[in-house]
Amino acid sequence: MASEDASPSLDILVREPEGFFVWNGPPFSNGQPIVKLERVPCTNVRFSEDGSRLMVMKSDSVISIYDCDNFKEIRSFQVPNVAAADLSPCGTYIQTFQKSSTPQEKNVILWKTETGEAVYQLFQKNMTKTTWPSIRFSSDEAVACRMATNEIQFFDTTDFPKGILYRLRVPGVAAFEVSKAPGSHVAVFVPESKGSPASVQIYACGKDLQSQPLARRSFFRCSTVQLNWNRGSTGLLAVAQSDVDKTNQSYYGESKLNYLTTDGTHEGLVPLRKEGPVHDVQWSYSGSEFAVVYGFMPASATIFNKKCRPILELGSGPYNTVRWNPKGKFLCLAGFGNLPGDMAFWDYVDGKQLGTTRAECSVTSEWSPDGRYFMTATTAPRLQIDNGIKIFHHNGSLFFKKMFDKLFQAEWKPVSPDKFGDISELIKSVGSLKVAETKSQGSGSASRKAAPSNPTATKPAAYRPPHAKQAAAIQAELLGESPTPEMSKNALRNKKKREKQKEKKAAEAAAAGI
Amino acid sequence: MVHVSFYRNYGKTFKKPRRPYEKERLDAELRLVGSFGLRCKRELWRVQYALSRIRNAARDLLTLDEKDPRRIFEGQALLRRMFRYGLLEATQNKLDYVLALTVESFLERRLQTVVFKAGLAKSIHHARVLIKQRHIRVGRQIVNIPSFLVRVDAQNHVGVSLTSSLTQTGRPGRVKRKAQKAAAKKSAGGADEDDED
């Protein structure tokens, strides 16, 4: 508990049509958040990955960089006709993309945020999801690389004007992903061509580049791949999706989950028990286990360890997302998007479900960096009504709710989870619950009741047509429940008759016995 | 068939159906052959024969007493084989489940269907071609047989073989080598060289 004093504060960034403002994070003093930064008009806002810098696109041509500790503007860039901009993970560089027609005009510019000067420029014809950001950094900014046709180019992050340090030649590369922490490997995806299958390969980032991949996995029937590195850069999860399902089971195509390790111990499919698409797969924050939500609805969820063995089955239900808690041992299974929004909070170390709740129509969901709160937000332009923010405790009880007229973006300021202490009070309370159970049942159940269990969404009562009173009684009988007291008059009369006959028979038998 | 006087150990592996022209049976068999990419009806009858032998064994064991040592021993062995080949789940650990097995459950475990389901082939027929042309390995061993029954622990180790021409590491195939040679010759020899046959 004492470590809380030294931990950094949580901030929430909220963006509305008029601009964005920043709140002080929970715990809220009188039920309302304190505004840390007043409204600033903008078109788009993004934090850097480590949360130290904030990039604000003020209008079509002005980009400002704010320092996140005191929310003061430290630099402003004038970039005419900017189409996209991105911050590097530590906030040292910002790259911007402008529309350009001639190859002479270098339209991707890399700026240094402290000095404001452009350190590198290059030409890129168009911007797609796989090709933006052009220059990708690892989380500590030790490695920066860019994909060009048939090769990956590496740069020196301290000295960009030097140019390309070395190249890694991969014929036909279509997508790549640098491992985040540390940036020691790069994964590339080469799509299918003529006879040869599509493949995902892992290379090491090093000056002494070997052209042999450390690990590779080939497969047919895939058009796009989502690559997912873990913290520690030991394992890569690749979700291979195809638009057409050749097994004819789904209109939406199929997806398969592959797992590759950098030391080559495992390269193969992840054994999933249920058929159907892979809805979501996330590494835990420690990087040693991952959770997969898969299968046709109701989907199953399983946690695997890094040897690809299942360690916990989380049952099945209407879920399609999974969110790990950055601290501690909780995770949240949720069904957003086209599902009604059921959320289940689990303690995966003990394998217990902490609580379930519902957050209808949520678009985004995120744990707080200290792991105590879970915020879901309903945002435009995906949903134009019911915009708002809901914050839950780690076990599912609602903590705070605020509706907006129109909300574009709501997120926590990213902070490294190591800066926060463990959720010690929770571990203590769970421990006390266990001790209470062994000691005396009464006190244990009382404390369990005190622990907030959110009222689950009440199931609407089944509609029974007017003639169905008998039907209800018949159904109850069929299902083995005791018959309801409201029986029809005839039924009551027959029942009485039968009981009287039984009594008469019993009396006769007793008389005969004697 | 094999000449009897030289060979002693052989047995039939399939049984022809009793009625040759039964419409429902012909339709059902053709559907299975098509969806699993089998070569002929005999491949299907082979699986049916294997299944019927297993079912007979299970039925015979079920008539024995529950504590009979033979029933326990052979029953466990049979169930272990079923689990090992992925025909039964680990939860279905009674002999009665063996009687509920179907032909489809065996056909699903063939290497041809496993290769297709794992995404290594574009279609079930492509899978058969890849297997026969030695592009598929199970573990470290290249497997050439489409009817190889894949064990459960080997299922995640089905991949493209390392020497296959489909990967970068393997030697390019015959056609590609020929094209490369012709291209090299053309660039070195000049325009008056005839093309190779």
Side-chain angles (χ1 to χ4, degrees), chain B residues 83-137:
Chain B
F83 296 146
R84 196 154 167 248
Y85 282 98
L87 299 158
L88 285 180
E89 296 281 308
T91 51
Q92 305 165 300
N93 55 354
K94 308 244 308 266
L95 271 179
D96 311 79
Y97 291 104
V98 176
L99 292 180
L101 280 176
T102 60
V103 177
E104 283 88 346
S105 43
F106 278 81
L107 292 174
E108 287 280 343
R109 299 305 303 169
R110 294 171 94 243
L111 183 62
Q112 189 181 352
T113 36
V114 169
V115 163
F116 171 60
K117 289 279 160 66
L120 294 167
K122 286 192 265 199
S123 77
I124 191 99
H125 306 285
H126 188 213
R128 197 177 179 115
V129 166
L130 286 178
I131 293 172
K132 205 60 194 175
Q133 295 181 349
R134 292 162 48 102
H135 290 296
I136 305 292
R137 65 181 160 100

Side-chain angles (χ1 to χ4, degrees), chain A residues 373-436:
Chain A
Y373 304 100
F374 187 69
M375 174 168 81
T376 64
T378 314
T379 58
R382 177 99 180 258
L383 280 168
Q384 304 279 350
I385 58 164
D386 279 350
N387 283 167
I389 296 179
K390 286 192 190 147
I391 302 186
F392 298 87
H393 281 291
H394 66 278
N395 56 5
S397 50
L398 183 62
F399 168 71
F400 174 74
K401 180 170 136 173
K402 184 163 167 79
M403 310 305 285
F404 290 84
D405 193 29
K406 228 184 185 63
L407 177 65
F408 284 152
Q409 190 181 353
E411 54 187 36
W412 300 95
K413 181 181 89 166
V415 186
S416 161
D418 303 322
K419 295 216 182 108
F420 295 98
D422 270 331
I423 318 181
S424 47
E425 55 195 9
L426 305 171
I427 299 175
K428 223 194 321 174
S429 69
V430 169
S432 73
L433 282 176
K434 287 211 190 99
V435 168

Side-chain angles (χ1 to χ4, degrees), chain A residues 171 192 194-197 201 212 216-221 246-247 256 266-271 273 275, chain B residues 89 108 115-123 126 130 137 140 155-160 165-169:
Chain A
E192 265 180 64
K194 282 198 250 184
S196 36
Q201 303 164 30
Q212 292 290 37
R216 70 182 298 145
R217 172 92 190 144
S218 335
F219 33 77
F220 282 97
R221 302 204 328 255
K246 280 279 158 69
T247 55
K256 296 230 175 311
H266 191 287
E267 1 176 308
L269 275 181
V270 174
R273 298 270 210 81
E275 301 236 318
Chain B
E89 296 281 308
E108 287 280 343
V115 163
F116 171 60
K117 289 279 160 66
L120 294 167
K122 286 192 265 199
S123 77
H126 188 213
L130 286 178
R137 65 181 160 100
R140 294 282 152 214
Q155 181 159 13
N156 301 325
H157 296 91
V158 174
V160 181
S165 60
L166 294 177
T167 68
Q168 308 293 85
T169 52

Side-chain angles (χ1 to χ4, degrees), chain A residues 24-348:
Chain A
N24 246 351
F28 299 138
S29 47
N30 55 350
Q32 283 299 319
I34 312 166
V35 178
K36 202 164 178 182
L37 174 67
E38 290 298 327
R39 180 159 301 175
V40 174
C42 67
T43 53
N44 204 350
V45 167
R46 187 125 31 105
F47 280 105
S48 66
E49 249 179 59
D50 66 345
S52 61
R53 302 264 188 273
L54 181 67
M55 175 184 75
V56 182
M57 291 176 66
K58 288 235 174 96
S59 61
D60 205 17
S61 50
V62 177
I63 302 180
S64 312
I65 308 284
Y66 283 66
D67 185 58
C68 286
D69 293 323
N70 46 12
F71 287 104
K72 292 256 169 44
E73 181 172 335
I74 51 175
R75 192 153 292 280
S76 176
F77 293 94
Q78 292 280 346
V79 186
N81 280 341
V82 63
D86 197 53
L87 264 182
S88 70
C90 297
T92 348
Y93 296 99
I94 171 175
Q95 47 181 318
T96 58
F97 181 89
Q98 296 160 279
K99 271 184 135 62
S100 134
S101 40
T102 59
Q104 269 65 28
E105 239 181 271
K106 306 268 184 202
N107 61 342
V108 175
I109 310 180
L110 191 73
W111 313 78
K112 207 171 164 84
T113 44
E114 273 110 47
T115 56
E117 47 159 303
V119 293
Y120 198 70
Q121 305 180 11
L122 47 89
F123 170 73
Q124 187 173 326
K125 200 156 172 200
N126 43 21
M127 175 180 92
T128 64
K129 208 161 81 143
T130 49
T131 56
W132 180 258
S134 318
I135 301 183
R136 309 239 177 121
F137 293 86
S138 65
S139 289
D140 48 4
E141 291 200 0
V143 173
C145 47
R146 172 184 168 249
M147 177 173 78
T149 48
N150 289 343
E151 64 184 15
I152 310 262
Q153 300 164 343
F154 287 85
F155 299 93
D156 184 2
T157 45
T158 48
D159 190 12
F160 265 99
K162 202 154 73 172
I164 300 172
L165 263 191
Y166 54 92
R167 301 158 199 267
L168 180 66
R169 191 166 161 73
V170 184
V173 61
F176 81 110
E177 185 85 27
V178 189
S179 63
K180 290 287 163 193
S184 51
H185 296 88
V186 65
V188 298
F189 166 63
V190 177
E192 265 180 64
S193 76
K194 282 198 250 184
S196 36
S199 68
V200 170
Q201 303 164 30
I202 300 184
Y203 290 89
C205 308
K207 197 85 195 266
D208 49 345
L209 74 129
Q210 14 49 326
S211 51
Q212 292 290 37
L214 292 175
R216 70 182 298 145
R217 172 92 190 144
S218 335
F219 33 77
F220 282 97
R221 302 204 328 255
C222 103
S223 49
T224 48
V225 160
Q226 287 169 0
L227 300 165
N228 217 330
W229 279 104
N230 68 340
R231 288 192 68 197
S233 307
T234 50
L236 172 77
L237 284 167
V239 182
Q241 293 161 324
S242 80
D243 289 327
V244 180
D245 188 358
K246 280 279 158 69
T247 55
N248 266 334
Q249 281 180 315
S250 164
Y251 169 80
Y252 299 102
E254 57 175 343
S255 54
K256 296 230 175 311
L257 180 61
N258 294 287
Y259 176 58
L260 291 103
T261 50
T262 48
D263 45 7
T265 47
H266 191 287
E267 1 176 308
L269 275 181
V270 174
L272 299 175
R273 298 270 210 81
K274 198 167 171 175
E275 301 236 318
V278 172
H279 298 289
D280 199 10
V281 57
Q282 298 280 346
W283 281 103
S284 74
Y285 272 80
S286 59
S288 49
E289 56 257 322
F290 58 94
V292 192
V293 183
Y294 56 93
F296 294 112
M297 284 299 154
S300 309
T302 312
I303 302 183
F304 292 87
N305 69 352
K306 61 179 175 191
K307 287 211 194 332
C308 214
R309 299 238 172 79
I311 45 181
L312 186 59
E313 301 275 344
L314 298 174
S316 65
Y319 305 123
N320 65 2
T321 37
V322 62
R323 294 270 182 266
W324 287 91
N325 188 319
K327 298 247 30 125
K329 38 195 189 122
F330 308 107
L331 65 80
C332 173
L333 276 181
F336 297 134
N338 58 341
L339 293 172
D342 291 288
M343 299 197 305
F345 290 84
W346 280 79
D347 175 346
Y348 70 87

